[in-house]
């Protein structure tokens, strides 16, 4: 079903006119109400009246995470703080968190775009939603919660962690829809496998995963492991939280951006100029309708590309590819750009490996070295052990050595950098406890 057919299936030309009108109003309001933006617009020699529509976006200044930090906590608000009804914050692994605020209308918008996202993912009114996103300052839990209620679902606010209890609740309450990080979906799938619960015996049909990068390889594992047809949900707290875009369950070929509210551009990070549709670059978003914390051209750091044109689901909203990584999690290994998601895609092609891994970056003799710690698939490992027990230790060892060689070869061929491959026993790679999972250990000395 389509939650807001009029907006989601609008004629692209009409939508562009709406976006342009909203952008003009936004720029005027920012110039009037937010000193930070008034100053930035002055510096860029832009008068609010100069902006005719979205085609003029390249003339407008970029906003970065550091701007939110520098004006912490409430310096970028376009309404008095007392008109804000909720605060969220991003995890902020280093330094101060980034604080964001919502007016009553913003919360209405938040639940509406998440209701749209849930419907794109296959959810319908009356279905039961098992919400395993973390509740609290993180936008995931409350975001999906109110979106589910808005759509008319029965929401179970489980939050992250306590996997035993999650599994029990899924077996007993029989949810139709699951949402959590993709890495946690794998944790849940392996817990069910351990208990010998077959995916086809689970009630789950649809699942929404996001908050961290993932790949089509991982998608196949989750589909199979939980018996679902899962889709990607994307968002960030600065823009609103989850619900900036979602794949439709029909095509699963790019996430439809709620572009009547969040206008996407893709910029080449070297030139800062927009790239053609289909070309990769950094996603930059402008909030067209937000009240409390409107942002102009927010630099997400996330790498993706856009595709326009008809979609099997009937929506006309532009689609963005799965996030390849962030400019800041891109590893530069001996001059070559490497994204963890590229390594993940290669590992997913090897049947002998589980979808769990860790990347360790070190520097040896002034050269970057990347080690891939890949976990063995449990069934494959059992096979090897059986052979070991039957006194064929040499044979098993040869097999592992051959596997290591093959994976290293495949990585080098696909990515163009040689990496050391280490095989881990089943269960040894880090698992998600519910939140975002960090798979990279950068042990290089800080410059
Ligand atoms: P923080 O990670 O700092 O706590 P957020 O919770 O707002 O802040 O996270 C937003 C970021 O999470 C995005 O910019 C993006 O890098 C990542 N993210 C969110 N959804 C997805 C997704 N579906 N695929 C890949 N990355 C995602
Ligand atoms: Zn679609």
């Amino acid at each position: 079903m389509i939650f807001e057919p009029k907006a989601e299936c609008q004629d692209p030309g009409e939508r562009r006119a709406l976006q342009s009108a909203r952008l003009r109003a936004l720029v005027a309001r920012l110039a009037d109400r937010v000193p930070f933006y008034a100053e930035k617009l002055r510096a860029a020699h832009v008068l609010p009246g100069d902006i005719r529509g979205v085609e003029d976006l390249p003339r407008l200044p970029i906003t970065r995470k550091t701007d939110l930090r520098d004006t912490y906590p409430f310096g970028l608000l376009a309404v008095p703080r007392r008109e804000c009804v909720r605060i969220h914050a991003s995890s902020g692994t280093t330094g101060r968190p980034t604080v964001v605020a919502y007016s009553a209308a913003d919360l209405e918008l938040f639940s509406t775009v998440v209701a749209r996202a849930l419907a794109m993912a296959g959810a319908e009114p009356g279905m039961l939603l098992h919400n395993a996103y973390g509740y609290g300052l993180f936008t995931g839990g409350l975001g999906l919660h109110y979106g589910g209620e808005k759509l008319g679902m029965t929401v179970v606010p489980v939050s992250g962690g306590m996997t035993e209890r999650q599994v029990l609740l899924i077996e007993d309450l029989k949810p139709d829809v699951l949402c959590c990080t993709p890495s946690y979906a794998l944790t849940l799938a392996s817990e069910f496998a351990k208990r010998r619960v077959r995916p086809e015996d689970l009630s789950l049909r649809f699942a929404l995963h996001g908050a961290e990068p993932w790949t089509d390889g991982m998608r196949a594992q989750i589909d199979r492991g939980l018996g679902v047809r899962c889709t990607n949900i994307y968002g960030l707290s600065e823009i609103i939280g989850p619900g900036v875009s979602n794949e439709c369950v029909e095509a699963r070929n790019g996430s439809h951006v709620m572009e009547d509210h969040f206008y996407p551009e893709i910029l080449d990070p070297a030139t800062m100029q927009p790239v053609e549709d289909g070309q990769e670059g950094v996603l930059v978003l402008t909030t067209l309708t937000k009240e409390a914390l409107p942002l102009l051209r927010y630099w997400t750091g996330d790498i993706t590309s856009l595709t326009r044109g008809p979609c099997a689901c009937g929506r006309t909203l532009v689609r963005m590819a799965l996030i390849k990584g962030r400019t800041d999690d891109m590893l530069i290994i001996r001059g070559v750009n490497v994204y963890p998601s590229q390594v993940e895609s290669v590992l997913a092609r090897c049947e002998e490996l589980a979808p769990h891994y860790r990347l360790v970056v070190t520097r040896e003799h002034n050269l970057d070295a990347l080690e891939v710690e890949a976990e063995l698939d449990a069934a494959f490992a059992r096979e090897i052990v059986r052979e070991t027990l039957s006194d064929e230790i040499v044979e098993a060892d040869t097999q592992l050595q051959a596997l290591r060689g093959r994976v290293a070869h495949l990585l080098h061929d696909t990515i163009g950098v040689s990496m050391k491959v280490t095989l881990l026993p089943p269960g040894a790679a880090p698992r998600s406890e519910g939140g975002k999972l960090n798979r990279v250990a950068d042990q290089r000395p800080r410059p």
Side-chain angles (χ1 to χ4, degrees):
M1 90 174 258
I2 299 182
F3 186 67
E4 291 191 309
K6 216 176 133 228
E8 296 175 63
C9 307
Q10 191 173 23
D11 167 73
E14 277 175 29
R15 182 182 292 126
R16 200 174 157 90
L18 174 74
Q19 290 164 328
S20 292
R22 287 180 168 172
L23 179 66
R24 287 194 296 272
L26 169 69
V27 174
R29 207 154 53 84
L30 289 175
D32 189 39
R33 303 223 184 147
V34 185
F36 168 87
Y37 276 119
E39 181 49 43
K40 278 227 173 197
L41 290 169
R42 237 193 322 272
H45 306 291
V46 178
L47 292 172
D50 297 345
I51 301 300
R52 291 156 300 167
V54 289
E55 67 276 15
D56 288 328
L57 270 166
R59 297 184 55 193
L60 294 169
I62 298 280
T63 310
R64 292 177 184 271
K65 200 174 183 95
T66 47
D67 294 324
L68 283 152
R69 293 231 176 91
D70 293 347
T71 53
Y72 174 89
F74 299 129
L76 288 187
L77 291 194
V79 301
R81 204 277 303 138
R82 55 174 56 245
E83 283 176 31
C84 296
V85 292
R86 199 194 295 164
I87 301 293
H88 276 291
S90 78
S91 50
T93 33
T94 50
R96 280 174 174 153
T98 307
V99 171
V100 297
Y102 303 72
S103 70
D106 293 337
L107 286 185
E108 188 60 32
L109 169 66
F110 193 6
S111 53
T112 300
V113 291
V114 174
R116 279 191 196 177
L118 281 159
M120 286 175 182
E124 285 174 21
M127 285 186 176
L128 197 109
L129 174 65
H130 181 102
N131 185 9
Y133 270 122
Y135 280 65
L137 282 174
F138 174 57
T139 50
L142 289 173
L144 266 303
H145 183 100
Y146 286 105
E149 288 189 359
K150 178 112 194 168
L151 182 60
M153 304 182 77
T154 309
V155 183
V156 190
V158 193
S159 196
M162 299 221 259
T163 306
E164 287 272 315
R165 195 180 57 177
Q166 305 253 1
V167 161
L168 205 86
L169 283 171
I170 291 175
E171 285 193 282
D172 293 348
L173 304 191
K174 309 213 179 313
D176 308 275
V177 185
L178 165 71
C179 53
C180 60
T181 58
S183 54
Y184 195 58
L186 288 177
T187 299
L188 289 173
S190 64
E191 193 58 35
F192 283 119
K194 245 189 256 159
R195 294 165 173 248
R196 309 211 173 282
V197 178
R198 295 183 311 173
E200 57 270 32
D201 292 336
L202 289 172
S203 59
L204 293 170
R205 294 173 56 198
F206 306 110
L208 298 87
H209 304 304
E212 61 188 14
W214 57 313
T215 56
D216 282 322
M218 210 160 149
R219 181 207 297 281
Q221 301 265 5
I222 297 172
D223 275 0
R224 225 177 310 128
L226 292 173
V228 293
R229 196 168 155 78
C230 62
T231 53
N232 180 50
I233 181 163
Y234 169 83
L236 61 169
S237 49
E238 293 87 339
I239 296 302
I240 196 133
V244 170
S245 72
N246 206 102
E247 287 170 336
C248 59
V249 70
E250 292 89 344
R252 294 204 296 188
N253 182 18
S255 304
H256 288 289
V257 182
M258 315 298 174
E259 56 169 320
D260 46 334
H261 297 291
F262 315 118
Y263 191 87
E265 297 170 89
I266 306 287
L267 301 190
D268 177 336
T271 63
M272 297 304 278
Q273 293 306 308
V275 302
E276 299 277 311
D277 283 348
Q279 299 291 312
E280 258 173 21
V282 173
L283 176 68
V284 167
L285 291 161
T286 296
T287 65
L288 296 174
T289 53
K290 248 173 47 167
E291 276 186 354
L293 185 67
L295 296 178
L296 266 189
R297 307 188 83 205
Y298 185 72
W299 181 267
T300 66
D302 296 320
I303 314 247
T304 183
S305 58
L306 297 180
T307 315
R308 282 165 232 276
C311 183
C313 69
R315 293 176 180 87
T316 53
L317 296 166
V318 63
R319 283 164 285 155
M320 56 182 259
L322 283 181
I323 302 289
K324 186 168 169 191
R326 290 171 66 102
T327 37
D328 54 12
D329 73 23
M330 181 183 81
L331 299 165
I332 305 181
I333 305 296
R334 299 190 293 276
V336 180
N337 299 350
V338 180
Y339 292 96
S341 64
Q342 290 176 292
V343 175
E344 182 179 310
S345 296
V346 172
L347 299 182
R349 277 154 54 193
C350 305
E351 274 179 11
E352 300 90 341
L353 299 179
H356 306 287
Y357 63 97
R358 196 169 81 115
L359 304 182
V360 183
V361 193
T362 51
R363 184 163 293 151
E364 293 161 12
H365 314 296
N366 289 318
L367 271 185
D368 299 325
L370 178 57
E371 178 175 353
V372 179
E373 300 181 341
E375 187 178 306
L376 289 175
D377 172 68
F380 174 72
R382 265 197 304 277
E383 193 70 22
I384 297 259
V385 170
R386 233 195 320 277
E387 287 175 15
T388 311
L389 288 181
S390 63
D391 255 2
E392 291 177 45
I393 298 172
V394 182
E395 163 72 11
D397 202 48
T398 319
Q399 245 176 302
L400 288 179
Q401 216 170 338
L403 175 62
R404 242 191 322 264
R406 192 153 53 77
V407 175
H409 200 80
L410 208 55
L411 284 166
H412 182 263
D413 270 7
T414 323
I415 304 172
V417 192
S418 52
M419 306 175 201
K420 182 178 171 200
V421 175
T422 310
L423 298 172
L424 302 180
R431 294 292 198 277
S432 166
E433 304 282 328
K436 296 185 192 232
L437 183 58
N438 184 14
R439 292 193 177 86
V440 181
D442 196 338
Q443 299 171 350
R444 287 177 290 193
R446 298 251 159 238

